Amino acid sequence: MDHHHINLLHQHGIDLWKEDPQYVTEILTKEAVLEVQAIFEKIRYQSEQLSNQDIQEAIIPKIQQLCINNLSNVILELSKKDNYTYRHCIGVSLISYLIGKWLGLKDEELQNLAIAGLLHDLGKIKISDSILNKTSSLSADEYAEMKLHTHFGYEMIRNISEMTEQQALVALQHHEREDGSGYPFRIAGVKITLYSKIVAVADVFHTMISERTYKKPIPLYQVFEEIYNRGYKLFDSMVVHCFIMNMMIRMVGDHVILTDGQVARIVMLHSDDLINPLVEANGNFYDLRNSEHKILDFVYNQ
């Protein structure tokens, strides 16, 4: 069943969004994967002249539809290892779009940001498969070649009709870090564009939660914890705070497993410590800011 059939069911009063949101998420993700694969192949083989508008029309509706579904379902679906390259592009695009929306960007800016996120790794199509698919650590020479994807992507995006310089800079800058420890130019702070700062967080987040043939995903809560505790040095503090706050807000009412094995429900967030909320387990309330209890991960499919 594709999105056309889902619309037909909706016209007849059958709302799959409510009946089976996970199934709808799977359908939308599969469609988006096929769209992204087609876009990358057209760019790789130059079989068709694409524009920013062409890519937006193909992808933005899927991103917007995924955004209104249950975010936990979407994250789980996008973290699967099948078609990882394209799922990663979609995941980074979607998370970037959400962060931009939470930051108050306008519709046109959001659409351009989402496309910049989608194409942030475009330059990797010019990197040899032996490096891209290597399951062990890269040698110094291999790593140097891998880092060239930022330059390749920048030039390729600049050559796509209607793309902005800001969108091209995302491909160049998404591995730069606030403290100057990134690449390719080790720039820091205000020298990194806002789009690049947003996509950097989305890129790291999706990479950490994703399953690969040689890597298990990191539990979602631990990813939030890592980005929250260490991210302020590496990433823009405004972007990190906005991302973690809005993601955790959506987890209020969800269940988590604590270090002592209890299943607890998130009751309330603390503005001074977003990842150590007030939780309730078996009638007992625990303020995790100053409790021996800590969260291991979220409990899925509750």
Side-chain angles (χ1 to χ4, degrees), residues 29-60:
T29 301
K30 288 178 181 177
E31 290 183 357
V33 164
L34 292 175
E35 292 280 9
V36 176
Q37 184 176 10
I39 288 168
F40 273 53
E41 288 180 353
K42 287 173 184 176
I43 295 173
R44 180 196 291 267
Y45 300 113
Q46 300 180 331
S47 60
E48 182 179 329
Q49 285 292 332
L50 292 176
S51 68
N52 187 7
Q53 186 64 32
D54 293 330
I55 300 173
Q56 283 191 20
E57 289 175 357
I59 294 300
I60 293 299

Side-chain angles (χ1 to χ4, degrees), residues 59-292:
I59 294 300
I60 293 299
K62 300 291 191 305
I63 295 297
Q64 292 172 332
Q65 289 159 357
L66 285 168
C67 284
I68 65 175
N69 204 358
N70 180 282
L71 192 53
S72 295
N73 288 344
V74 173
I75 288 171
L76 286 172
E77 184 64 28
L78 289 172
S79 66
K80 293 178 180 177
K81 65 183 178 182
D82 297 337
N83 293 303
Y84 168 77
T85 297
Y86 305 120
R87 284 179 192 266
H88 180 61
C89 294
I90 297 162
V92 173
S93 178
L94 182 142
I95 296 298
S96 298
Y97 182 92
L98 285 174
I99 294 174
K101 190 172 183 178
W102 295 331
L103 287 172
L105 298 188
K106 298 176 181 178
D107 286 346
E108 183 178 353
E109 295 173 313
L110 289 174
Q111 292 181 24
N112 284 333
L113 171 61
I115 298 307
L118 187 82
L119 302 179
H120 76 288
D121 269 345
L122 181 63
K124 285 186 176 178
I125 66 178
K126 292 195 173 185
I127 303 299
S128 62
D129 288 342
S130 61
I131 291 177
L132 292 177
N133 299 327
K134 190 173 182 180
T135 58
S136 57
S137 298
L138 298 179
S139 68
D141 288 343
E142 290 170 333
Y143 186 53
E145 181 180 338
M146 173 66 84
K147 290 194 291 187
L148 291 176
H149 81 274
T150 56
H151 295 281
F152 294 148
Y154 174 71
E155 294 299 336
M156 294 168 74
I157 293 171
R158 291 184 75 196
N159 288 326
I160 297 175
S161 175
E162 301 172 5
M163 288 290 178
T164 67
E165 178 70 7
Q166 191 176 24
Q167 287 175 300
L169 282 171
V170 168
L172 188 65
Q173 295 182 345
H174 67 278
H175 285 291
E176 301 285 8
R177 297 294 179 256
E178 286 295 304
D179 61 356
S181 63
Y183 69 83
F185 297 121
R186 300 182 69 85
I187 59 175
V190 296
K191 293 183 179 180
I192 307 171
T193 70
L194 177 61
Y195 280 15
S196 299
K197 292 170 183 279
I198 293 171
V199 171
V201 171
D203 179 36
V204 167
F205 170 73
H206 187 265
T207 298
M208 292 175 74
I209 66 168
S210 294
E211 180 183 10
R212 309 285 291 275
T213 54
Y214 55 88
K215 168 191 162 299
K216 291 185 177 180
I218 299 173
L220 180 59
Y221 176 79
Q222 292 180 29
V223 175
F224 288 159
E225 189 174 37
E226 181 81 4
I227 292 175
Y228 187 74
N229 288 335
R230 298 183 58 192
Y232 285 99
K233 176 184 177 183
L234 300 175
F235 305 109
D236 183 274
S237 59
M238 176 183 67
V239 174
V240 169
H241 184 83
C242 175
F243 173 63
I244 296 297
M245 179 181 69
N246 281 280
M247 292 295 282
M248 287 298 295
I249 283 173
R250 282 153 180 78
M251 303 300 175
V252 172
D254 285 358
H255 291 81
V256 293
I257 185 165
L258 304 179
T259 47
D260 65 352
Q262 290 189 86
V263 173
R265 178 176 58 89
I266 298 177
V267 175
M268 185 182 74
L269 302 184
H270 303 296
S271 60
D272 62 333
D273 190 346
L274 294 171
I275 58 165
N276 285 303
L278 177 71
V279 302
E280 179 269 326
N282 301 314
N284 298 311
F285 289 85
Y286 303 104
D287 183 343
L288 300 185
R289 294 175 300 179
N290 48 32
S291 170
E292 63 182 10

